[in-house]
Amino acid sequence: MIRVALIDDQALMRAGFRALLDAEDGIEVVGEAADGEQGLELVRTHVPDVALVDVQMPVMSGIEATRRIAADPELSGVRVVILTNYGLDEYVFEALRAGASGFLLKDTEPADLLQAIEVVARGEALLSPSVTRTLIGEFVSRPPDRATAPGLECLTRREREVTALAARGLTNEEIAAHMVISPFTAKTHISRAMTKLGARDRAQLVVFAYESGLVAARGHAE
């Protein structure tokens, strides 16, 4: 059973999501909240597997709520999916930096929403290679933010290489082919890099790679 929290200031939106999720045998909606502060309390009380969080809300934004969820060790198993009307905007980037595992457009198809919840509940990032490449398209136009980026000196040469390739949008299979290693080994390197950098998932790993300057604006590893 996947336990889900709905956090959105639009009652109609919450009702629509709830009706869809309540109809699924493998999903339980543990509660609803109308702003980020209420949402944070809801998550702390019920500790759901997945929190669907609107990016813009009164009292406390979805980004701040995400940041606090990600920073709380007791909520380490909670995965946040940001809901947005606008696609890949600045709010989405801030949410990924704050610790979100991915994002969904509010007008996403019901089947895609259900699949997304299952993906995130398994601990995977809700970022397909095509979405990762779109993220890259945004990051390459910005200089690296070395002041706020985590140090990458803790990574081995191999871990830095797979991190750079992941940040370019390659899947584990593509990384394996590029480096002439097995997909399992590629996945292991990615997991170790995430652990060392404190990245909750692949989405944050991509953010770290660009903000640290590991991947340069031209899209090649330095």
Side-chain angles (χ1 to χ4, degrees):
M1 182 67 69
I2 301 173
R3 304 170 72 251
V4 179
L6 300 176
I7 306 171
D8 194 306
D9 63 332
Q10 298 179 16
L12 186 60
M13 187 63 63
R14 294 198 310 274
F17 280 133
R18 180 151 204 159
L20 173 64
L21 299 181
D22 280 345
E24 292 296 308
D25 292 336
I27 296 177
E28 175 190 2
V29 177
V30 299
E32 302 177 23
D35 61 56
E37 189 172 275
Q38 292 178 9
L40 183 60
E41 185 60 32
L42 174 66
V43 170
R44 285 172 173 166
T45 300
H46 294 282
V47 193
D49 301 300
V50 178
L52 299 180
V53 181
D54 185 19
V55 70
Q56 292 180 289
M57 292 182 290
V59 185
M60 180 189 294
S61 71
I63 293 172
E64 182 58 27
T66 299
R67 185 176 291 112
R68 297 192 189 192
I69 291 170
D72 190 336
E74 295 185 359
L75 303 178
S76 61
V78 179
R79 293 291 178 260
V80 175
V81 175
I82 291 293
L83 301 172
T84 176
N85 289 315
Y86 309 110
L88 287 166
D89 58 15
E90 188 63 32
Y91 293 110
V92 170
F93 295 113
E94 289 303 315
L96 292 174
R97 293 187 184 100
S101 293
F103 68 94
L104 282 173
L105 292 175
K106 287 190 175 182
D107 62 355
T108 190
E109 293 294 324
D112 293 335
L113 171 64
L114 296 173
Q115 182 183 23
I117 290 173
E118 292 176 0
V119 167
V120 173
R122 291 198 301 265
E124 300 176 24
L126 189 61
L127 288 176
S128 66
S130 61
V131 172
T132 301
R133 292 185 178 104
T134 307
L135 279 169
I136 291 168
E138 295 290 336
F139 272 110
V140 295
S141 64
R142 312 174 184 195
D145 187 1
R146 299 178 193 273
T148 61
L152 296 176
E153 61 276 0
C154 61
L155 301 184
T156 65
R157 180 182 63 83
R158 280 298 216 186
E159 290 164 355
R160 288 167 65 93
E161 187 175 356
V162 297
T163 297
L165 292 172
R168 287 167 53 191
L170 274 66
T171 65
N172 288 344
E173 289 72 18
E174 290 170 336
I175 291 172
H178 182 89
M179 297 178 64
V180 196
I181 57 178
S182 71
F184 177 79
T185 300
K187 182 179 180 179
T188 299
H189 285 315
I190 289 287
S191 297
R192 288 176 178 169
M194 286 169 52
T195 299
K196 290 181 178 181
L197 294 174
R200 286 168 64 91
D201 51 39
R202 201 182 187 98
Q204 278 205 307
L205 192 65
V206 172
V207 172
F208 289 166
Y210 277 90
E211 292 196 328
S212 68
L214 176 64
V215 177
R218 63 185 178 277
H220 299 292
E222 290 184 339

